[in-house]
Amino acid sequence: EPEVTQTPSHQVTQMGQEVILRCVPISNHLYFYWYRQILGQKVEFLVSFYNNEISEKSEIFDDQFSVERPDGSNFTLKIRSTKLEDSAMYFCASTEYRGSPLHFGNGTRLTVT
Amino acid sequence: KQEVTQIPAALSVPEGENLVLNCSFTDSAIYNLQWFRQDPGKGLTSLLLIQSSQREQTSGRLNASLDKSSGRSTLYIAASQPGDSATYLCAVSNNNDMRFGAGTRLTVKP
């Protein structure tokens, strides 16, 4: 069965550095998402992306964050100038059309020291 | 803003019991509701998706119901097994996002 894949599985970075989290959504999916889960807390919506543009973003997704689909397969989340509180599990998800099941990757655990 | 609440936060049952997990949401104008399973340190596995026009979905020992007007969904697990131990998350889609509850942490004891 097709999967959403995320790399790396674990990323350690120093405060103030930039990180790029990578995702390969399922190939025929059109809607892409990033979520995060701080340890012990809820899964939180960050941003949705469709037709090469952001369709919705949460209050968490401020100017520190950006997303890009640089080619036909990758979907990336960039965090500029990371802060300690950015430490979390970041999940990429995709769906074929609005209303179809959301498929998640296994996540990237980001640790900011 | 959509708020999703799950009750109970944690549940421990002996193997073989039938159980019900509850989910409520504040904005009934939803596209769909999806139940996920999350094992510790892992990603989210989709269990069931209920469209807003549907009232229930079944997959094996799992049955999910949706009462959109009252803003409620239940996940029924029949004949629970130790392998069912995980956190179960309810998520509701309104527009271009999906909002999650905090989950119910289920432990099924052998």
Side-chain angles (χ1 to χ4, degrees):
Chain A
E1 186 176 323
E3 291 181 339
V4 176
T5 56
Q6 291 186 242
T7 55
S9 57
H10 192 187
Q11 172 95 43
V12 181
T13 189
Q14 288 189 325
M15 196 167 52
Q17 296 296 305
E18 175 183 285
V19 293
I20 298 176
L21 310 183
R22 302 181 190 280
C23 170
V24 179
I26 295 174
S27 61
N28 64 330
H29 285 191
L30 301 177
Y31 294 81
F32 315 117
Y33 306 83
W34 283 101
Y35 287 82
R36 79 171 185 190
Q37 187 177 32
I38 295 171
L39 187 64
Q41 297 187 22
K42 277 190 183 186
V43 175
E44 300 173 291
F45 168 75
L46 292 178
V47 65
S48 59
F49 192 87
Y50 170 71
N51 202 26
N52 282 321
E53 60 184 24
I54 290 173
S55 44
E56 188 157 349
K57 60 183 180 179
S58 73
E59 56 277 6
I60 302 168
F61 194 89
D62 59 22
D63 292 343
Q64 181 194 12
F65 294 90
S66 62
V67 289
E68 195 177 33
R69 190 156 162 81
D71 52 44
S73 59
N74 290 283
F75 179 51
T76 61
L77 175 69
K78 182 190 289 185
I79 309 175
R80 286 181 279 274
S81 190
T82 50
K83 299 177 281 203
L84 293 176
E85 53 265 37
D86 294 328
S87 295
M89 185 76 96
Y90 288 81
F91 293 107
C92 173
S94 69
T95 188
E96 188 175 358
Y97 53 85
R98 188 189 291 183
S100 65
L102 207 57
H103 294 261
F104 279 79
N106 285 329
T108 293
R109 182 173 299 283
L110 176 65
T111 302
V112 182
T113 61
Chain B
K1 178 184 163 186
Q2 178 75 270
E3 296 290 339
V4 182
T5 303
Q6 291 187 246
I7 294 172
L11 182 62
S12 180
V13 300
E15 182 177 4
E17 264 200 19
N18 303 325
L19 56 101
V20 175
L21 308 181
N22 297 290
C23 172
S24 61
F25 48 94
T26 54
D27 183 353
S28 61
I30 65 171
Y31 279 116
N32 58 49
L33 182 145
Q34 199 165 350
W35 283 92
F36 294 88
R37 169 186 173 136
Q38 185 176 30
D39 292 285
K42 303 288 186 182
L44 282 69
T45 301
S46 178
L47 298 173
L48 289 165
L49 172 77
I50 311 178
Q51 300 292 351
S52 62
S53 58
Q54 298 173 322
R55 293 194 64 85
E56 66 176 337
Q57 283 287 331
T58 298
S59 175
R61 294 182 293 108
L62 305 179
N63 175 276
S65 69
L66 174 65
D67 184 343
K68 201 174 75 161
S69 61
S70 68
R72 292 180 185 175
S73 175
T74 61
L75 179 67
Y76 175 82
I77 303 177
S80 58
Q81 303 170 356
D84 294 332
S85 298
T87 296
Y88 290 81
L89 301 173
C90 166
V92 175
S93 175
N94 281 90
N95 192 8
N96 280 314
D97 64 1
M98 184 162 258
R99 303 283 171 163
F100 282 78
T104 294
R105 189 170 67 255
L106 173 66
T107 304
V108 181
K109 294 179 284 189

